[in-house]
Amino acid sequence: MQTEDASRGLTLLKKGQKGIIHAIFSRFGLVLVLLILQVLIPFGLFQWFEEYLPHIFGATVLLTFVLVIVFLNMNSRINPTVKITWLMVIMLLPVFGALFFVYIQSDLGHRVVKRYMNQVISETKTCIPQEKTVIERLEAENPGAASLARYVARSGCHPVYDGTAVTYFPLGEKKFEEMLRQLEAAKHFIFMEYFIVDEGIMWGRILEILAKKAAEGVEVRFMYDGTCEFALLPRDYPKRLKALGIKCRVFAPVTPFVSTHYNYRDHRKILVIDGHTAFNGGVNLADEYINRKEKFGHWKDTAVMLKGEAVKSFTLMFLQMWGSGGKEEREKFLSYPTGRAERAKGYVIPYGDCPLDEDRLGERVYMDILNRSTRQVHVMMPYLILDGEMETAIKFAAERGVEVVILLPGIPDKAIPYALAKTHYASLLESGVKIYEYTPGFVHAKVFVGDGREAVVGTINLDYRSLYHHFECATYLYGVDCIPRIEKDFKETLAKCRQVTMETVRGEKLRVKLTGCLMKVFAPLM
């Protein structure tokens, strides 16, 4: 390992000093000013046409009434909890609430993305064929898991695989160590897709390897979400990476135009090496994820490494989001040998969740595990902002006698989501759900384990953003060797937690209770 100074990254990519002047005269400042202007313009128009205000308000009240009737008769495509939120917004903001709803429903700004994703999903539906013998064996072992596999497959090209070895990492630093080893061994291509990238020891060390591999002729592609450009990285970062031979793209960069597209972020974390090795989980590329920088105490995160057949699905997911090359490119990269792991037990399904279709895949996989489990469901999550369906599924599992244990942060990263999580505590506890908070710090892991035989490790949180608004991905595991290791890690982490009881709920700070109550109605919009 090189020194910390060296591993902060190459000089070419240093961001430079930040400050108020930098913020004002940067793209961030320009975007902020233009967004404020676009919000203020309607108010100016109302002042300009002041004499027509009675007519305007009358028309808005009529529109509000019509929308309320439409909501009450709307089909199930909109979640009931979301309906209530929109009704409250429309009633509280009679002038702008209805217009805001119409604007959101207009799909302004992401129609092109929606059209593209639907086309790609349609084109790639069968590009990785399902091996019939694999699904038949899973059916024989567990019909419920096979039914889930068939449901996952209908939303995209997400077959179930055997012949895949899975390694579980209980901490970000463990994943980081293995990432470096695997990156150093790359010979053909490296694909990376991450939500957060921030300069420091972790990204600096990875970047040095990527630059070296690019110089050796390895094809290196790197993609990150546009929120990084807004808050963490300079706007010309793709050009700087290009100078190192690294192909880089930004998903949904923030631009000076109001668009519903900004609500849909690329929250995935994917690393694919040479088509035979893939990483997935909650770990982003920043120093807090490997506990080299303390933010909110000790950072607890998890990840998995796949070696074998199932890596193909992560290769495809990356290419789908990368957005170019078409069929020839997909065939090229999917043709690299995966190196079947003959001794690997169990079944693996890598899958991606897309907010632009009608399938709430991430939520339904979790709910299916809850509904089929008979002994225990163990959950690690950073956030707990539930809709009515998910809360009912969790409570019903506990009421059936299933031991449902949810492990959450003891030190929150955000005050409002923390307060919102606590609004669910009393109801869950009454149904027999056990809730624990990780006293050393913040839990960022997204882990779901049912009956000690099936599990999900990925990027999907139990909140509205993950379940409804983000591009997400995860790895479903059934009967694989690492599931006992996941259970062991859960129990070891649980030993460092404090249990939540009705007494602690009643003794919660008034400020937290009020924040949760006031913000709960708006939770689906957060």
Side-chain angles (χ1 to χ4, degrees):
M1 181 69 71
Q2 299 189 14
T3 65
E4 290 189 5
D5 285 336
S7 63
R8 289 193 184 105
L10 303 178
T11 305
L12 177 63
L13 298 176
K14 288 185 177 177
K15 289 184 290 186
Q17 198 169 13
K18 287 184 178 180
I20 295 176
I21 301 299
H22 172 83
I24 292 173
F25 291 100
S26 69
R27 188 180 184 190
F28 172 88
L30 175 62
V31 169
L32 190 60
V33 168
L34 290 175
L35 287 175
I36 292 172
L37 286 175
Q38 291 179 78
V39 171
L40 290 178
I41 285 172
F43 290 96
L45 291 175
F46 274 105
Q47 292 292 325
W48 187 268
F49 296 103
E50 186 176 2
E51 60 183 297
Y52 298 106
L53 281 182
H55 302 84
I56 294 172
F57 274 101
T60 305
V61 169
L62 179 61
L63 177 61
T64 301
F65 176 77
V66 170
L67 277 173
V68 169
I69 298 299
V70 170
F71 261 106
L72 292 177
N73 291 277
M74 193 170 285
N75 61 26
S76 60
R77 288 187 179 183
I78 295 184
N79 182 278
T81 308
V82 178
K83 287 184 183 181
I84 293 171
T85 296
W86 275 114
L87 284 171
M88 287 294 296
V89 171
I90 291 169
M91 304 282 267
L92 289 172
L93 301 170
V95 177
F96 295 104
L99 297 176
F100 185 46
F101 173 73
V102 171
Y103 160 71
I104 292 295
Q105 294 300 305
S106 71
D107 277 354
L108 179 65
H110 70 265
R111 289 179 183 174
V112 173
V113 176
K114 188 172 185 177
R115 199 159 48 240
Y116 165 76
M117 289 305 300
N118 287 336
Q119 179 183 343
V120 168
I121 290 171
S122 176
E123 289 177 355
T124 59
K125 198 84 172 180
T126 58
C127 75
I128 306 176
Q130 174 65 69
E131 286 190 28
K132 188 177 179 181
T133 56
V134 176
I135 192 71
E136 287 175 347
R137 286 200 303 272
L138 179 58
E139 177 78 46
E141 292 185 33
N142 190 310
S147 294
L148 175 60
R150 283 190 286 270
Y151 169 72
V152 172
R154 72 181 286 276
S155 68
C157 189
H158 307 310
V160 55
Y161 301 88
D162 62 358
T164 300
V166 184
T167 303
Y168 173 74
F169 302 104
L171 289 170
E173 40 268 54
K174 296 295 184 183
K175 177 201 173 183
F176 178 50
E177 292 171 6
E178 188 60 35
M179 276 180 71
L180 296 180
R181 281 192 285 270
Q182 297 298 329
L183 286 169
E184 288 281 11
K187 296 179 180 178
H188 304 291
F189 69 90
I190 297 170
F191 292 163
M192 299 186 74
E193 178 181 351
Y194 281 84
F195 180 59
I196 290 175
V197 186
D198 195 11
E199 291 182 344
I201 297 167
M202 184 181 191
W203 174 233
R205 184 70 187 96
I206 291 171
L207 182 59
E208 289 176 357
I209 298 174
L210 296 182
K212 182 177 73 173
K213 288 296 173 180
E216 293 173 359
V218 174
E219 179 157 1
V220 181
R221 298 187 185 185
F222 184 71
M223 181 163 57
Y224 60 89
D225 188 75
T227 51
C228 284
E229 185 178 275
F230 199 74
L232 299 173
L233 299 174
R235 60 185 172 83
D236 64 342
Y237 210 67
K239 291 182 179 179
R240 302 189 190 192
L241 291 181
K242 184 179 179 181
L244 300 177
I246 299 169
K247 297 178 181 178
C248 179
R249 291 188 178 176
V250 181
F251 179 83
V254 179
T255 57
F257 298 98
V258 175
S259 170
T260 56
H261 184 44
Y262 299 142
N263 206 34
Y264 298 92
R265 310 312 318 178
D266 183 0
H267 193 243
R268 297 178 177 182
K269 292 97 181 170
I270 295 173
L271 166 59
V272 179
I273 300 169
D274 291 346
H276 58 63
T277 301
F279 289 81
N280 180 221
V283 182
N284 280 299
L285 306 179
D287 285 353
E288 60 267 29
Y289 292 86
I290 58 171
N291 286 295
R292 298 301 293 267
K293 177 172 70 175
E294 184 171 316
K295 291 180 73 173
F296 321 112
H298 182 265
W299 196 285
K300 167 66 179 176
D301 218 328
T302 59
V304 287
M305 178 178 69
L306 281 57
K307 281 185 171 290
E309 299 282 344
V311 175
K312 284 184 179 179
S313 286
F314 280 120
T315 303
L316 177 61
M317 275 186 254
F318 177 89
L319 291 171
Q320 288 173 334
M321 294 296 285
W322 184 260
S324 69
K327 182 179 179 181
E328 290 184 4
E329 183 174 76
R330 289 194 294 269
E331 290 178 348
K332 171 188 172 184
F333 287 106
L334 290 174
S335 67
Y336 281 88
T338 58
R340 180 179 174 84
E342 295 293 347
R343 295 185 179 181
K345 296 179 181 178
Y347 305 87
V348 179
I349 310 175
Y351 61 95
D353 197 0
C354 171
L356 304 175
D357 58 24
E358 299 299 330
D359 284 319
R360 301 198 307 273
L361 184 58
E363 182 176 44
R364 286 172 178 167
V365 169
Y366 287 157
M367 290 174 68
D368 191 69
I369 293 173
L370 284 163
N371 291 334
R372 286 188 294 103
S373 295
T374 59
R375 295 184 293 105
Q376 61 191 30
V377 175
H378 292 163
V379 179
M380 278 194 281
M381 287 285 159
Y383 310 113
L384 192 74
I385 307 175
L386 308 174
D387 63 11
E389 293 178 54
M390 179 59 79
E391 185 166 355
T392 298
I394 293 172
K395 292 168 64 176
F396 180 54
E399 289 164 3
R400 288 190 294 109
V402 178
E403 179 195 60
V404 181
V405 184
I406 302 176
L407 200 158
L408 297 164
I411 301 175
D413 67 332
K414 302 178 184 72
I416 291 177
Y418 182 66
L420 284 169
K422 290 179 177 291
T423 64
H424 299 286
Y425 281 10
S427 176
L428 294 174
L429 290 172
E430 286 171 359
S431 292
V433 178
K434 297 177 182 178
I435 303 172
Y436 291 82
E437 295 177 338
Y438 183 62
T439 52
F442 182 64
V443 173
H444 191 256
K446 304 95 168 54
V447 174
F448 227 91
V449 188
D451 284 347
R453 62 182 179 179
E454 61 184 329
V456 173
V457 180
T459 70
I460 307 171
N461 296 314
L462 280 177
D463 66 0
Y464 288 94
R465 297 221 62 81
S466 269
L467 299 177
Y468 288 87
H469 302 309
H470 284 164
F471 290 88
E472 302 279 3
C473 63
T475 306
Y476 171 82
L477 310 169
Y478 179 82
V480 302
D481 293 331
C482 73
I483 289 180
R485 179 69 187 94
I486 299 174
E487 276 285 87
K488 182 173 182 287
D489 176 51
F490 185 88
K491 291 174 182 176
E492 290 174 349
T493 307
L494 198 66
K496 302 172 185 176
C497 296
R498 58 174 176 259
Q499 185 168 6
V500 176
T501 64
M502 282 297 189
E503 288 72 23
T504 59
V505 170
R506 286 191 286 268
E508 188 58 70
K509 294 177 182 177
L510 181 60
R511 171 178 54 82
V512 176
K513 289 181 178 179
L514 288 175
T515 300
C517 289
L518 291 172
M519 296 306 299
K520 189 165 187 176
V521 72
F522 301 108
L525 303 181
M526 295 179 62

